[in-house]
Amino acid sequence: MTRLAPHLASRAALVTVLVAALAGCAVVGAVEPEPTAEPEPTASASPTPTETPTSFTAPGTCAELVGPTLDAEFSANGVDLFSGSDGTGMYTLEAPLGQDGGDPLYCLYGQDGVDLSTFEFAAQGLTNDAHEGVIAELATRGLDEQADGERVTFSQEGDEGSSPAIVHIVLPDGWVTVHSTFGGPDRFAEATGWAETARGQVYPAP
């Protein structure tokens, strides 16, 4: 018994060490449970801001119709206002080229002494009946027609000599036109940009 005691004590100590080691391994190798995800708060849908509808705003002058950027560009390039229905211009008022009905503000520009340099801006407000009449009339003129929602565009590229470049933008309550005596793809692209600028002037952003 005396000889067995040390052996038993040693075995007991070894068992204690093994248990401690195994316990340590279990702790180290154990997969910890993932924390329960907190439910994300449901965001309340914010109301979509309602765009303020724009409406036709009649320009009082040719400068207001073309806007300050184009007005300055024309002046820098030697383009003058020949005549305008607002009473401005170098020459006697002429009949409008692009809008031959209603009561538009129209403004004829050009380079003095340069053939085929003239082009005209025109704009006017429309009633519901007048809108339908303008659409019906323009549809008979052989122009290219494109509809985008309530906006209808009638256009003609023209050529460099005998056929003008024309852009009509017709909206429910307004009509904007650019009519250039000189046509062709380059002038048509320019006239299209001018028409968009004038549309922005008579339909100012809210």
Side-chain angles (χ1 to χ4, degrees), residues 100-171:
D100 51 1
D103 185 24
L105 169 68
Y106 51 96
C107 310
L108 184 68
Y109 290 86
Q111 292 175 291
D112 205 18
V114 178
D115 292 339
L116 301 178
S117 69
T118 55
F119 56 89
E120 181 192 79
F121 285 71
Q124 65 177 299
L126 298 175
T127 63
N128 289 337
D129 289 342
H131 171 265
E132 295 305 316
V134 169
I135 293 289
E137 172 59 28
L138 293 178
T140 69
R141 298 187 179 183
L143 304 173
D144 294 329
E145 179 179 347
Q146 288 187 325
D148 182 8
E150 294 183 317
R151 166 181 166 147
V152 185
T153 303
F154 294 88
S155 61
Q156 172 181 288
E157 183 176 286
D159 57 44
E160 300 176 359
S162 61
S163 182
I166 302 171
V167 181
H168 296 281
I169 300 174
V170 186
L171 291 154

Coordinates of all heavy atoms in Angstrom, one line a residue, residues 100-171:
D100 N -48.0 80.8 -88.2 CA -48.9 81.7 -89.0 C -50.3 81.6 -88.5 O -51.3 81.7 -89.3 CB -48.8 81.2 -90.5 CG -49.0 79.8 -90.7 OD1 -49.2 79.0 -89.6 OD2 -49.0 79.3 -91.8
G101 N -50.5 81.5 -87.2 CA -51.8 81.6 -86.6 C -51.7 82.0 -85.2 O -50.6 81.9 -84.6
G102 N -52.8 82.5 -84.6 CA -52.8 82.9 -83.2 C -52.1 84.3 -83.0 O -52.1 85.1 -84.0
D103 N -51.5 84.5 -81.9 CA -50.9 85.8 -81.6 C -49.5 85.5 -80.9 O -49.3 85.8 -79.7 CB -51.8 86.5 -80.6 CG -51.3 87.9 -80.4 OD1 -50.5 88.5 -81.2 OD2 -51.6 88.5 -79.3
P104 N -48.5 85.1 -81.7 CA -47.2 84.8 -81.1 C -46.4 86.0 -80.9 O -46.6 87.0 -81.6 CB -46.6 83.8 -82.1 CG -47.2 84.3 -83.4 CD -48.6 84.7 -83.1
L105 N -45.4 85.9 -80.0 CA -44.3 86.8 -80.0 C -43.3 86.2 -80.9 O -42.9 85.0 -80.7 CB -43.7 86.9 -78.6 CG -42.3 87.6 -78.5 CD1 -42.5 89.1 -78.8 CD2 -41.7 87.5 -77.1
Y106 N -42.9 86.9 -82.0 CA -41.9 86.3 -82.9 C -40.8 87.3 -83.1 O -40.9 88.6 -83.0 CB -42.5 86.0 -84.2 CG -43.4 87.0 -84.9 CD1 -42.9 87.9 -85.9 CD2 -44.7 87.2 -84.5 CE1 -43.7 88.8 -86.5 CE2 -45.5 88.1 -85.2 CZ -45.0 89.0 -86.1 OH -45.7 89.9 -86.7
C107 N -39.6 86.8 -83.3 CA -38.4 87.6 -83.3 C -37.5 87.1 -84.4 O -37.0 85.9 -84.4 CB -37.6 87.4 -82.0 SG -38.7 87.7 -80.5
L108 N -37.2 87.9 -85.4 CA -36.4 87.5 -86.6 C -35.0 88.0 -86.4 O -34.8 89.2 -86.3 CB -37.0 88.1 -87.9 CG -36.4 87.7 -89.2 CD1 -36.6 86.2 -89.5 CD2 -36.9 88.6 -90.3
Y109 N -34.0 87.1 -86.5 CA -32.6 87.4 -86.3 C -31.9 87.2 -87.6 O -32.4 86.4 -88.5 CB -32.0 86.6 -85.2 CG -32.4 86.9 -83.8 CD1 -33.6 86.3 -83.3 CD2 -31.7 87.8 -83.0 CE1 -34.0 86.6 -82.0 CE2 -32.1 88.0 -81.7 CZ -33.2 87.5 -81.2 OH -33.6 87.8 -80.0
G110 N -30.7 87.7 -87.8 CA -29.9 87.5 -89.0 C -28.6 88.3 -88.9 O -28.4 89.1 -88.0
Q111 N -27.8 88.1 -90.0 CA -26.6 88.9 -90.1 C -26.8 89.8 -91.3 O -27.1 89.4 -92.4 CB -25.4 88.0 -90.4 CG -25.0 87.1 -89.2 CD -23.9 86.1 -89.5 OE1 -24.1 85.2 -90.3 NE2 -22.7 86.3 -89.0
D112 N -26.7 91.1 -91.0 CA -27.0 92.1 -92.0 C -26.2 91.9 -93.3 O -24.9 91.9 -93.2 CB -26.8 93.5 -91.4 CG -27.7 94.5 -92.1 OD1 -28.6 94.2 -92.8 OD2 -27.4 95.7 -92.0
G113 N -26.8 91.8 -94.4 CA -26.1 91.7 -95.7 C -25.7 90.3 -96.0 O -25.0 90.1 -97.1
V114 N -26.0 89.3 -95.2 CA -25.6 87.9 -95.5 C -26.9 87.1 -95.9 O -27.9 87.0 -95.1 CB -25.0 87.2 -94.2 CG1 -24.7 85.8 -94.5 CG2 -23.8 88.0 -93.8
D115 N -26.8 86.5 -97.1 CA -28.0 85.8 -97.6 C -28.2 84.5 -96.8 O -27.3 83.9 -96.3 CB -27.7 85.4 -99.1 CG -27.7 86.5 -100.0 OD1 -28.3 87.6 -99.6 OD2 -27.1 86.4 -101.1
L116 N -29.5 84.2 -96.6 CA -29.9 83.0 -95.9 C -29.5 82.9 -94.5 O -29.3 81.8 -93.9 CB -29.5 81.7 -96.7 CG -29.9 81.5 -98.1 CD1 -29.3 80.3 -98.7 CD2 -31.4 81.5 -98.2
S117 N -29.3 84.1 -93.9 CA -28.8 84.1 -92.5 C -29.9 84.2 -91.5 O -29.7 84.1 -90.3 CB -27.8 85.2 -92.3 OG -28.4 86.5 -92.4
T118 N -31.1 84.5 -92.0 CA -32.2 84.8 -91.1 C -32.8 83.5 -90.4 O -32.9 82.4 -91.0 CB -33.4 85.5 -91.8 OG1 -33.8 84.7 -92.9 CG2 -32.9 86.9 -92.2
F119 N -33.2 83.7 -89.2 CA -33.9 82.6 -88.4 C -34.8 83.3 -87.4 O -34.6 84.4 -87.0 CB -32.9 81.7 -87.7 CG -32.0 82.4 -86.8 CD1 -32.3 82.6 -85.5 CD2 -30.7 82.8 -87.3 CE1 -31.4 83.2 -84.6 CE2 -29.8 83.4 -86.4 CZ -30.2 83.6 -85.1
E120 N -35.9 82.6 -87.1 CA -37.0 83.2 -86.3 C -37.3 82.3 -85.1 O -37.4 81.1 -85.2 CB -38.2 83.4 -87.1 CG -39.4 84.1 -86.3 CD -40.7 84.0 -87.1 OE1 -41.3 82.9 -87.1 OE2 -41.1 85.0 -87.7
F121 N -37.5 83.0 -84.0 CA -38.0 82.4 -82.8 C -39.5 82.8 -82.7 O -39.8 84.0 -82.9 CB -37.3 82.8 -81.5 CG -36.0 82.2 -81.3 CD1 -34.9 82.5 -82.1 CD2 -35.8 81.2 -80.3 CE1 -33.6 82.0 -81.9 CE2 -34.5 80.7 -80.1 CZ -33.4 81.0 -80.9
A122 N -40.4 82.0 -82.2 CA -41.8 82.4 -82.0 C -42.3 81.5 -80.8 O -41.9 80.4 -80.6 CB -42.6 82.2 -83.2
A123 N -43.2 82.1 -80.1 CA -43.8 81.4 -79.0 C -45.2 82.0 -78.6 O -45.4 83.3 -78.7 CB -43.0 81.4 -77.7
Q124 N -46.1 81.2 -78.2 CA -47.4 81.7 -77.8 C -48.1 80.6 -76.9 O -47.8 79.4 -77.0 CB -48.3 82.0 -79.0 CG -48.7 80.8 -79.9 CD -49.7 81.2 -81.0 OE1 -50.8 81.7 -80.7 NE2 -49.3 81.1 -82.2
G125 N -49.0 81.1 -76.1 CA -49.8 80.2 -75.2 C -51.0 79.7 -76.0 O -51.4 80.2 -77.0
L126 N -51.5 78.5 -75.6 CA -52.6 77.8 -76.3 C -53.7 77.5 -75.4 O -53.4 77.0 -74.2 CB -52.1 76.5 -77.0 CG -51.0 76.7 -78.1 CD1 -50.5 75.3 -78.5 CD2 -51.5 77.5 -79.3
T127 N -54.9 77.6 -75.8 CA -56.0 77.1 -75.1 C -56.2 75.6 -75.6 O -55.5 75.1 -76.5 CB -57.3 77.8 -75.5 OG1 -57.6 77.6 -76.9 CG2 -57.2 79.3 -75.2
N128 N -57.0 74.8 -74.9 CA -57.2 73.4 -75.3 C -57.6 73.3 -76.8 O -57.1 72.5 -77.5 CB -58.3 72.8 -74.4 CG -57.8 72.6 -73.0 OD1 -56.6 72.5 -72.8 ND2 -58.7 72.5 -72.0
D129 N -58.6 74.1 -77.2 CA -59.0 74.1 -78.6 C -57.9 74.5 -79.5 O -57.8 73.8 -80.6 CB -60.3 75.0 -78.8 CG -61.5 74.4 -78.1 OD1 -61.5 73.2 -77.8 OD2 -62.5 75.2 -77.9
A130 N -57.2 75.5 -79.2 CA -56.1 76.0 -80.1 C -55.0 74.9 -80.2 O -54.5 74.7 -81.2 CB -55.5 77.3 -79.6
H131 N -54.8 74.2 -79.1 CA -53.8 73.2 -79.0 C -54.1 72.1 -80.0 O -53.3 71.6 -80.8 CB -53.6 72.6 -77.6 CG -52.8 71.3 -77.6 ND1 -53.4 70.1 -77.6 CD2 -51.5 71.2 -77.4 CE1 -52.4 69.2 -77.5 NE2 -51.2 69.8 -77.4
E132 N -55.4 71.6 -80.0 CA -55.8 70.6 -80.9 C -55.7 71.1 -82.4 O -55.3 70.3 -83.3 CB -57.3 70.2 -80.6 CG -57.4 69.5 -79.2 CD -56.5 68.3 -79.1 OE1 -56.4 67.5 -80.0 OE2 -55.9 68.2 -78.0
G133 N -56.0 72.3 -82.6 CA -56.0 72.9 -84.0 C -54.5 72.9 -84.5 O -54.3 72.6 -85.6
V134 N -53.6 73.3 -83.6 CA -52.2 73.4 -84.0 C -51.7 72.0 -84.3 O -51.0 71.8 -85.4 CB -51.4 74.1 -82.9 CG1 -49.9 73.9 -83.2 CG2 -51.7 75.5 -82.8
I135 N -52.0 71.1 -83.5 CA -51.5 69.7 -83.8 C -52.1 69.2 -85.1 O -51.3 68.6 -85.9 CB -52.0 68.7 -82.6 CG1 -51.3 69.1 -81.3 CG2 -51.7 67.3 -83.0 CD1 -49.8 68.7 -81.3
A136 N -53.3 69.4 -85.3 CA -54.0 68.9 -86.6 C -53.4 69.6 -87.8 O -53.1 69.0 -88.8 CB -55.5 69.2 -86.5
E137 N -53.1 70.9 -87.7 CA -52.5 71.6 -88.8 C -51.1 71.2 -89.1 O -50.7 70.9 -90.3 CB -52.6 73.2 -88.5 CG -51.9 74.0 -89.6 CD -52.4 73.9 -91.0 OE1 -53.6 73.5 -91.2 OE2 -51.6 74.0 -91.9
L138 N -50.3 71.2 -88.1 CA -48.9 70.8 -88.3 C -48.7 69.3 -88.8 O -47.8 69.0 -89.6 CB -48.1 70.9 -87.0 CG -47.9 72.3 -86.5 CD1 -47.1 72.4 -85.2 CD2 -47.2 73.2 -87.5
A139 N -49.7 68.5 -88.5 CA -49.7 67.1 -88.9 C -49.9 67.0 -90.4 O -49.6 66.0 -91.1 CB -50.7 66.3 -88.2
T140 N -50.4 68.1 -91.1 CA -50.7 68.0 -92.5 C -49.5 68.6 -93.3 O -49.6 68.5 -94.6 CB -51.9 68.9 -92.9 OG1 -51.6 70.3 -92.6 CG2 -53.1 68.5 -92.0
R141 N -48.4 69.0 -92.7 CA -47.4 69.7 -93.4 C -46.2 68.8 -93.8 O -45.1 69.3 -94.3 CB -46.9 70.9 -92.6 CG -48.0 71.9 -92.4 CD -47.5 73.2 -91.7 NE -48.5 74.2 -91.5 CZ -48.4 75.4 -91.0 NH1 -47.2 75.8 -90.6 NH2 -49.4 76.2 -90.9
G142 N -46.3 67.5 -93.6 CA -45.2 66.6 -94.0 C -44.0 66.7 -93.1 O -42.9 66.3 -93.6
L143 N -44.1 67.2 -91.9 CA -43.0 67.3 -91.0 C -42.8 65.9 -90.2 O -43.8 65.2 -90.1 CB -43.3 68.4 -90.0 CG -43.5 69.8 -90.6 CD1 -43.9 70.8 -89.5 CD2 -42.3 70.3 -91.3
D144 N -41.6 65.7 -89.7 CA -41.4 64.6 -88.9 C -42.1 64.8 -87.5 O -41.9 65.9 -86.9 CB -39.9 64.3 -88.7 CG -39.2 63.9 -89.9 OD1 -39.8 63.3 -90.8 OD2 -38.0 64.3 -90.1
E145 N -42.8 63.8 -87.0 CA -43.6 64.0 -85.8 C -43.1 63.0 -84.7 O -43.0 61.8 -85.0 CB -45.1 63.8 -86.1 CG -46.0 64.0 -84.9 CD -47.5 63.8 -85.2 OE1 -47.8 63.8 -86.4 OE2 -48.3 63.6 -84.2
Q146 N -42.9 63.6 -83.5 CA -42.5 62.7 -82.4 C -43.3 63.1 -81.2 O -43.3 64.3 -80.9 CB -41.0 62.9 -82.1 CG -40.1 62.2 -83.1 CD -38.6 62.2 -82.7 OE1 -38.2 63.2 -82.1 NE2 -37.9 61.2 -83.0
A147 N -43.8 62.2 -80.5 CA -44.6 62.4 -79.3 C -43.9 61.9 -78.1 O -43.3 60.8 -78.1 CB -46.0 61.8 -79.4
D148 N -43.8 62.6 -77.0 CA -43.2 62.2 -75.8 C -44.1 62.7 -74.7 O -44.0 63.8 -74.2 CB -41.8 62.8 -75.6 CG -41.1 62.4 -74.4 OD1 -41.6 61.5 -73.7 OD2 -40.0 63.0 -74.1
G149 N -45.1 61.8 -74.3 CA -46.1 62.2 -73.3 C -47.0 63.3 -73.9 O -47.5 63.1 -75.0
E150 N -47.1 64.4 -73.2 CA -48.0 65.5 -73.7 C -47.2 66.4 -74.6 O -47.8 67.4 -75.2 CB -48.5 66.3 -72.5 CG -49.4 65.6 -71.6 CD -49.9 66.4 -70.5 OE1 -49.2 67.2 -69.9 OE2 -51.1 66.3 -70.2
R151 N -46.0 66.2 -74.8 CA -45.2 67.0 -75.8 C -45.1 66.4 -77.1 O -44.9 65.2 -77.3 CB -43.7 67.2 -75.2 CG -42.8 67.7 -76.2 CD -41.4 67.8 -75.6 NE -40.3 68.0 -76.6 CZ -39.2 68.7 -76.4 NH1 -39.0 69.2 -75.2 NH2 -38.3 68.8 -77.3
V152 N -45.4 67.2 -78.2 CA -45.3 66.7 -79.5 C -44.4 67.7 -80.3 O -44.5 68.9 -80.2 CB -46.7 66.7 -80.2 CG1 -46.6 66.1 -81.6 CG2 -47.7 65.9 -79.4
T153 N -43.4 67.1 -81.0 CA -42.4 67.8 -81.8 C -42.6 67.6 -83.3 O -42.7 66.4 -83.7 CB -41.0 67.5 -81.4 OG1 -40.8 67.7 -80.0 CG2 -40.0 68.3 -82.1
F154 N -42.7 68.6 -84.0 CA -42.8 68.5 -85.5 C -41.5 69.2 -86.0 O -41.2 70.3 -85.6 CB -44.0 69.3 -86.0 CG -45.3 68.7 -85.6 CD1 -45.9 69.0 -84.4 CD2 -45.9 67.7 -86.4 CE1 -47.1 68.5 -84.1 CE2 -47.1 67.1 -86.1 CZ -47.8 67.5 -84.9
S155 N -40.8 68.5 -86.9 CA -39.5 69.1 -87.4 C -39.2 68.8 -88.8 O -39.8 67.8 -89.4 CB -38.4 68.6 -86.5 OG -38.3 67.2 -86.5
Q156 N -38.3 69.5 -89.4 CA -37.8 69.3 -90.7 C -36.3 69.8 -90.8 O -36.0 70.9 -90.3 CB -38.6 70.2 -91.7 CG -38.1 70.2 -93.1 CD -39.0 71.1 -94.0 OE1 -40.1 70.7 -94.4 NE2 -38.5 72.2 -94.4
E157 N -35.5 68.9 -91.2 CA -34.1 69.2 -91.3 C -33.8 70.2 -92.4 O -32.9 71.1 -92.2 CB -33.3 67.9 -91.6 CG -31.8 68.1 -91.6 CD -31.0 66.8 -91.8 OE1 -30.9 66.0 -90.8 OE2 -30.5 66.6 -92.9
G158 N -34.4 70.1 -93.5 CA -34.2 71.1 -94.6 C -32.9 70.8 -95.3 O -32.2 69.8 -95.1
D159 N -32.5 71.8 -96.1 CA -31.2 71.7 -96.8 C -30.5 73.0 -96.9 O -31.1 74.1 -96.5 CB -31.3 71.0 -98.2 CG -32.3 71.8 -99.1 OD1 -32.2 73.0 -99.1 OD2 -33.2 71.1 -99.7
E160 N -29.3 73.1 -97.4 CA -28.6 74.3 -97.5 C -28.9 75.1 -98.7 O -28.1 75.3 -99.6 CB -27.1 74.0 -97.4 CG -26.7 73.2 -96.2 CD -25.2 72.8 -96.2 OE1 -24.5 73.1 -97.2 OE2 -24.7 72.2 -95.2
G161 N -30.1 75.6 -98.7 CA -30.4 76.5 -99.9 C -31.9 76.7 -100.1 O -32.4 77.8 -100.1
S162 N -32.6 75.6 -100.3 CA -34.0 75.7 -100.7 C -35.1 75.3 -99.7 O -36.3 75.6 -99.9 CB -34.2 74.9 -102.0 OG -34.0 73.5 -101.8
S163 N -34.7 74.6 -98.6 CA -35.6 74.1 -97.7 C -35.2 74.5 -96.3 O -34.1 74.2 -95.9 CB -35.8 72.6 -97.8 OG -36.7 72.1 -96.9
P164 N -36.1 75.2 -95.5 CA -35.7 75.6 -94.2 C -35.6 74.5 -93.1 O -36.2 73.4 -93.3 CB -36.8 76.6 -93.8 CG -38.0 76.1 -94.5 CD -37.5 75.6 -95.8
A165 N -34.8 74.8 -92.1 CA -34.8 73.9 -90.9 C -35.9 74.4 -90.0 O -36.0 75.6 -89.7 CB -33.5 74.0 -90.2
I166 N -36.8 73.5 -89.5 CA -37.9 73.9 -88.7 C -38.0 73.0 -87.5 O -37.9 71.8 -87.6 CB -39.2 73.8 -89.5 CG1 -39.1 74.7 -90.8 CG2 -40.4 74.2 -88.7 CD1 -40.3 74.5 -91.7
V167 N -38.3 73.6 -86.3 CA -38.6 72.8 -85.1 C -39.8 73.5 -84.4 O -39.8 74.7 -84.1 CB -37.4 72.8 -84.2 CG1 -37.7 72.0 -82.9 CG2 -36.1 72.3 -84.8
H168 N -40.9 72.7 -84.3 CA -42.0 73.1 -83.5 C -42.1 72.2 -82.2 O -42.1 71.0 -82.4 CB -43.3 72.9 -84.2 CG -43.5 73.7 -85.5 ND1 -43.9 75.1 -85.4 CD2 -43.3 73.4 -86.8 CE1 -43.9 75.5 -86.7 NE2 -43.6 74.6 -87.5
I169 N -42.2 72.8 -81.1 CA -42.5 72.1 -79.8 C -43.8 72.5 -79.3 O -44.1 73.7 -79.0 CB -41.4 72.4 -78.8 CG1 -40.0 72.0 -79.3 CG2 -41.7 71.6 -77.5 CD1 -38.9 72.3 -78.3
V170 N -44.8 71.5 -79.3 CA -46.2 71.8 -78.9 C -46.5 71.1 -77.6 O -46.3 69.9 -77.5 CB -47.2 71.4 -80.0 CG1 -48.6 71.9 -79.6 CG2 -46.8 72.0 -81.4
L171 N -46.9 71.9 -76.6 CA -47.3 71.4 -75.3 C -48.7 71.7 -75.1 O -49.3 72.5 -75.9 CB -46.4 72.0 -74.2 CG -44.9 71.4 -74.3 CD1 -44.0 72.4 -73.7 CD2 -44.8 70.1 -73.6

